[in-house]
Amino acid sequence: MHPIVVGISGGSGAIYGVRILEVLQKLGIDTHLVITQHGLATLRYETDYTAKDLRKLATVTHPVRDIGAAIASGSFLTQGMIVAPCSVKTLSGIVNSYGDNLLIRAADVTLKEKRKLVLMVREVPLHLGHLRLLTAAAEIGATIFPPLPAFYAHPKTVEDIVAYSVGRVLDQFGIDTGIPRWTGQKKAEQSCADLQ
Ligand SMILES: Cc1cc2nc3c(=O)[nH]c(=O)nc-3n(C[C@H](O)[C@H](O)[C@H](O)COP(=O)(O)O)c2cc1C
């Protein structure tokens, strides 16, 4: 099976990228990791993970300045790429094919090869410029996947919320991580019956 490329940029939520790497490692799926300078900064700020920890989780780690890395070329086969989290700056770089770092170049390659590119874009609130970038990204083939909680899954902890989004992102690649799934409205309807 071809590897999945994982990009971590400087949006809030570095933990999403970390958990994706952990899950894929456990499932024996190879990963190629690229993390931006600001991705490393938020990783340090928001989590107890270090760059060294990430290197252990990924099958291959590429320096963000290494524009000559395997994942910079479409001839290197992958299942696609997840950017988790995706900052607005990186979103803008991807939309405009501004490949001045390896993360953006790898995302651009993923799109030109018509492979799956999932962007866990994180910013609030969104101004019209952000919304236009998101539309443009969707138009050129990216899947926009903001890391938002699903309360119907009854999360108890932040970890539950993260695991759910990670599971739903990996659904995009046909990978089932065993997250709780909506199985129909009946139960919800029963519990609301006494309110009507
Ligand atoms: C703690 C922290 C949280 C941030 N959260 C976000 C965010 O959620 N979304 C965003 O677009 N930028 C966020 N930023 C700003 C980006 O890190 C900044 O725009 C950076 O230039 C992005 O660079 P990169 O895309 O190359 O990683 C955050 C910065 C810090 C320090």
Side-chain angles (χ1 to χ4, degrees):
M1 201 188 281
H2 301 309
I4 294 179
V5 181
V6 178
I8 299 179
S9 69
S12 185
I15 193 64
Y16 288 102
V18 173
R19 292 287 180 259
I20 286 168
L21 290 171
E22 282 175 348
V23 169
L24 292 176
Q25 186 179 61
K26 270 190 202 134
L27 293 172
I29 297 170
D30 285 345
T31 52
H32 281 237
L33 168 69
V34 56
I35 179 165
T36 67
Q37 241 183 320
H38 292 96
L40 274 175
T42 46
L43 179 81
R44 269 196 301 271
Y45 188 72
E46 296 181 342
T47 78
D48 292 329
Y49 288 85
T50 63
K52 204 173 156 192
D53 296 328
L54 286 199
R55 271 197 291 276
K56 283 187 204 150
L57 293 175
T59 315
V60 180
T61 305
H62 301 282
V64 73
R65 298 201 183 287
D66 186 7
I67 292 294
I71 57 173
S73 169
S75 68
F76 182 74
L77 293 174
T78 72
Q79 291 188 58
M81 178 169 180
I82 307 167
V83 185
C86 182
S87 73
V88 170
K89 179 191 158 200
T90 287
L91 169 71
S92 177
I94 293 168
V95 164
N96 292 292
S97 299
Y98 194 75
D100 74 336
N101 71 38
L102 181 62
L103 192 160
I104 294 171
R105 170 64 188 165
D108 198 47
V109 163
T110 305
L111 287 173
K112 84 181 173 70
E113 299 298 329
K114 306 274 185 260
R115 298 175 192 147
K116 188 156 274 294
L117 176 68
V118 182
L119 304 178
M120 296 186 83
V121 181
R122 224 283 345 169
E123 188 53 280
V124 280
L126 297 163
H127 65 55
L128 187 57
H130 299 150
L131 294 169
R132 287 191 173 127
L133 287 173
L134 290 167
T135 302
E139 282 170 348
I140 58 178
T143 299
I144 310 300
F145 198 116
L148 299 173
F151 291 101
Y152 61 79
H154 297 286
K156 304 268 185 305
T157 64
V158 173
E159 276 300 328
D160 289 346
I161 290 171
V162 172
Y164 188 81
S165 281
V166 165
R168 292 289 287 121
V169 161
L170 294 179
D171 280 352
Q172 294 284 316
F173 292 82
I175 299 166
D176 187 353
T177 58
I179 51 167
R181 293 186 187 279
W182 181 252
T183 52
Q185 243 178 320
K186 235 176 180 168
K187 208 174 142 199
E189 274 169 7
Q190 272 165 9
S191 65
C192 291
D194 54 347
L195 295 176
Q196 290 167 0

